[in-house]
Amino acid sequence: MTHRHQPAATTHTVELDQVLVIESRLGTHAPVTAAALGLDGLPAIPPSAFSIPLFETRTPSAGTLGPRAVLRHVKAQGSPEYPYVLGQFEDPVNGGARVVELHSQALHRLCVAMGLSQCWGTDAVLTGSSIR
């Protein structure tokens, strides 16, 4: 059974705030590609819902993410404390959209590329490191 209720509009966590900052700055920085984030070649899901089916073992495939695909949007889904962070990429050749989950390593790379000082993942918290 999939639970798809959204948190209240007044819910704020560091993770949700970080996702909002990234989303708001995507259009103001140089394009970030799937290759720059280490995501090229990953299986992608259809962008129609710009979401992933939570608690399911497989997601429907929409092909793979090409190295030149450009990140256009970032969205958080699921628990506000530990959300799934999804990135919607656009193929520069045909304009097709693909969605993949952004894990801590890709989020670190994204923040470095955008000049943001954000902390993602438990390793960064446990070691006291952050992105500068």
Side-chain angles (χ1 to χ4, degrees):
M1 175 182 234
T2 302
H3 300 279
R4 294 200 181 264
H5 80 81
Q6 294 297 316
T10 56
T11 300
H12 293 281
T13 66
V14 171
E15 291 79 6
L16 293 178
D17 287 344
Q18 289 182 158
V19 169
L20 291 174
V21 168
I22 292 170
E23 174 67 15
S24 70
R25 294 188 181 187
L26 274 176
T28 64
H29 288 283
V32 179
T33 65
L37 300 179
L39 301 174
D40 53 310
L42 286 182
I45 59 174
S48 58
F50 191 26
S51 64
I52 59 173
L54 297 175
F55 311 114
E56 293 184 19
T57 57
R58 291 183 343 131
T59 57
S61 179
T64 59
L65 196 59
R68 296 183 313 178
V70 177
L71 182 63
R72 296 294 184 208
H73 298 284
V74 175
K75 176 182 177 182
Q77 177 181 331
S79 166
E81 294 85 9
Y82 302 101
Y84 290 94
V85 180
L86 307 175
Q88 181 176 355
F89 290 80
E90 180 182 349
D91 185 305
V93 176
N94 64 19
R98 300 280 190 261
V99 176
V100 297
E101 187 175 351
L102 302 176
H103 294 283
S104 298
Q105 186 175 17
L107 289 164
H108 283 293
R109 290 179 179 177
L110 176 58
C111 290
V112 168
M114 297 179 75
L116 296 172
S117 180
Q118 294 185 351
C119 184
W120 290 99
T122 57
D123 289 344
V125 172
L126 294 174
T127 63
S129 66
S130 65
I131 298 170
R132 302 272 179 230

